[in-house]
Amino acid sequence: MKFLTTNFLKCSVGACDNSNDNFPLRYEGSKCQIVQDETVEFNPQFLLNILDRVDWNAIVTVARELGNQSLPVTKPQFTHQNGDANTASNLTEDELAVLQDLHVLLLQTSIAEGQMSCRNCNHIYHIKNGIPNLLLPPHLA
Amino acid sequence: MLPTPYVTCDYEKVYEPSEDSFLLLDSLEDEQLFLKDRFKNKLTVVSEFGPGTGIVLTFMMQNHIPTMGNSLYFGLDISPWAVKTTLETAKKNDCDKSYLDCIQTDLGSNLRNNQVDVLVFNPPYVPAEKVPLVPADEKDIHTWLDLALEGGKNGMVVTQRVLDNLGNILSPDGVAYILFCAQNRPEEIVKDMIDNYSWKVELVKQRKAGWEVLSVYRFSRR
């Protein structure tokens, strides 16, 4: 499961829907096996569009849990990212470097094996062979 | 006409692409311009509930539906065999470059609210006494396959759960493509969604397939 996917998954337990702690799930760094796929190509425009959309706090939280402490607390802003001018063509070298780092984290990093839990109900989910299993046992479904 | 993905797998475990799958492919082909225009240069989050073999998601990735290099694809299936097969089908069709993750889960129950821009759903629509219980054992392949087909009363039990939750699933501009058979009584369902829940619903495609009449409807906010 790719790192960016953690930004879309919440706990499936219905009772947690009214909690603010059902997202993001808590990833157990010591139990997660991380892999990098360097063949995923860098596309700065795609990264800008992704950044537009993500919950940055959740990105920072999960990155820390998985051992990456380097992200800034606030979402990086790009000088040319104003309104319709959300284009990658005028980025400075520094900005491209920031996007390149985010590319490595969000798109090249995957959790191959691992474990995560809900911050609200503490239910534990597993990732095996890169596939998260979020199916609940019958008594919770 | 757009190319169709190459699919080969064990059809004892995963539903074999049939007329319904192909109607969905043709519908999405027809909808290309509509989707491009709707999402323009923005990131689009595509989710398919119950991808089975992965033929539809792979078709979308292959043909850059809705947008070129700007989409995230998620395949959510209750069957462990389907999630694996969806990833394999994508790989066999050289879609490794696309952003695809597959998750074993029950419909959209673990998706953060209001994130899906394009939802595709070919549900278990066959009327049956009841929806099968989720098997405890991965090897219970017959039940996993039944889950892909049997939709309980009027074949609508599973689809209705998605319709009831559509407002939480879709992003503000989100659209859903959902397939029905005639026994689901889609006209009544569509009327209810329009009259009582203020959705905009349009018939995308309808086709007679053997003894079945299948249709694909597009749902969006008014």
Side-chain angles (χ1 to χ4, degrees):
Chain A
M1 178 178 93
K2 296 170 181 67
F3 184 95
L4 178 58
T5 298
T6 66
N7 214 255
F8 293 92
L9 301 182
K10 64 171 185 176
C11 178
S12 356
V13 174
C16 294
D17 272 347
N18 298 319
S19 154
N20 290 324
D21 293 326
N22 65 348
F23 168 83
L25 296 171
R26 186 199 293 120
Y27 293 78
E28 306 290 339
S30 62
K31 291 182 177 155
C32 288
Q33 185 198 330
I34 306 292
V35 291
Q36 298 287 339
D37 179 0
E38 280 157 22
T39 66
V40 182
E41 277 171 48
F42 178 48
N43 174 349
Q45 185 63 61
F46 189 34
L47 260 294
L48 282 179
N49 292 341
I50 288 170
L51 279 183
D52 237 14
R53 182 74 179 257
V54 293
D55 180 321
W56 183 256
N57 289 338
I59 296 277
V60 174
T61 303
V62 176
R64 282 188 185 154
E65 287 165 355
L66 295 176
N68 180 336
Q69 314 285 339
S70 69
L71 295 182
V73 180
T74 52
K75 196 194 277 196
Q77 299 295 318
F78 299 91
T79 45
H80 302 285
Q81 198 183 346
N82 302 319
D84 289 344
N86 187 2
T87 158
S89 56
N90 299 320
L91 292 166
T92 65
E93 249 172 61
D94 285 352
E95 289 171 331
L96 274 172
V98 172
L99 285 179
Q100 175 73 52
D101 283 350
L102 286 169
H103 166 72
V104 172
L105 176 68
L106 300 179
L107 302 180
Q108 289 194 339
T109 305
S110 294
I111 308 172
E113 306 285 330
Q115 183 175 312
M116 62 273 202
S117 59
C118 173
R119 283 166 218 276
N120 186 52
C121 72
N122 294 315
H123 184 74
I124 294 173
Y125 302 96
H126 295 275
I127 299 174
K128 284 183 188 151
N129 293 318
I131 300 174
N133 181 353
L134 299 163
L135 262 191
L136 297 171
H139 70 279
L140 285 174
Chain B
M1 210 175 142
L2 298 176
T4 305
Y6 165 70
V7 178
T8 168
C9 64
D10 184 351
Y11 297 124
E12 301 258 307
K13 293 176 180 156
V14 186
Y15 180 69
E16 182 173 2
S18 306
E19 297 295 343
D20 48 346
S21 323
F22 300 127
L23 183 68
L24 210 42
L25 297 192
D26 293 344
S27 300
L28 290 165
E29 178 163 356
D30 284 1
E31 289 286 287
Q32 280 183 101
L33 281 177
F34 170 87
L35 290 170
K36 265 203 177 72
D37 185 53
R38 192 171 181 96
F39 297 108
K40 297 204 170 70
N41 301 316
K42 282 190 265 174
L43 182 83
T44 49
V45 175
V46 178
S47 283
E48 183 176 10
F49 291 177
T53 59
I55 184 173
V56 177
L57 273 180
T58 301
F59 175 81
M60 293 179 82
M61 291 189 282
Q62 254 181 357
N63 297 298
H64 312 294
I65 303 172
T67 51
M68 178 89 167
N70 224 343
S71 305
L72 308 177
Y73 297 91
F74 296 108
L76 313 180
D77 207 299
I78 201 164
S79 155
W81 304 106
V83 285
K84 281 177 217 163
T85 308
T86 296
L87 288 170
E88 283 163 14
T89 300
K91 208 168 191 174
K92 279 178 195 152
N93 288 276
D94 300 319
C95 289
D96 309 45
K97 296 280 176 236
S98 300
Y99 188 104
L100 169 69
D101 255 327
C102 287
I103 298 150
Q104 192 184 356
T105 181
D106 185 15
L107 305 171
S109 54
N110 75 285
L111 282 179
R112 183 152 71 94
N113 282 356
N114 303 117
Q115 292 299 319
V116 178
D117 298 307
V118 181
L119 172 68
V120 179
F121 188 30
N122 181 359
Y125 59 75
V126 178
E129 209 166 296
K130 55 184 182 191
V131 177
L133 290 176
V134 179
D137 188 350
E138 196 175 275
K139 295 192 184 72
D140 187 359
I141 53 174
H142 294 294
T143 312
W144 290 114
L145 198 57
D146 287 346
L147 272 167
L149 298 169
E150 295 176 6
K153 193 182 175 205
N154 295 335
M156 271 305 293
V157 172
V158 182
T159 311
Q160 194 60 50
R161 282 178 56 208
V162 172
L163 292 176
D164 291 344
N165 198 28
L166 209 51
N168 287 327
I169 297 169
L170 293 185
S171 68
D173 287 331
V175 291
Y177 295 95
I178 302 178
L179 185 137
F180 298 85
C181 75
Q183 289 154 297
N184 301 151
R185 302 183 196 154
E187 290 87 358
E188 286 171 36
I189 287 147
V190 164
K191 190 175 180 320
D192 181 53
M193 288 293 278
I194 293 171
D195 293 349
N196 299 328
Y197 300 96
S198 305
W199 288 89
K200 187 175 169 188
V201 189
E202 281 176 59
L203 177 67
V204 179
K205 243 181 168 35
Q206 192 165 58
R207 185 178 292 163
K208 197 163 179 298
W211 53 273
E212 291 184 314
V213 178
L214 302 171
S215 46
V216 172
Y217 286 87
R218 180 181 72 214
F219 297 77
S220 59
R221 287 189 179 79
R222 213 180 283 161

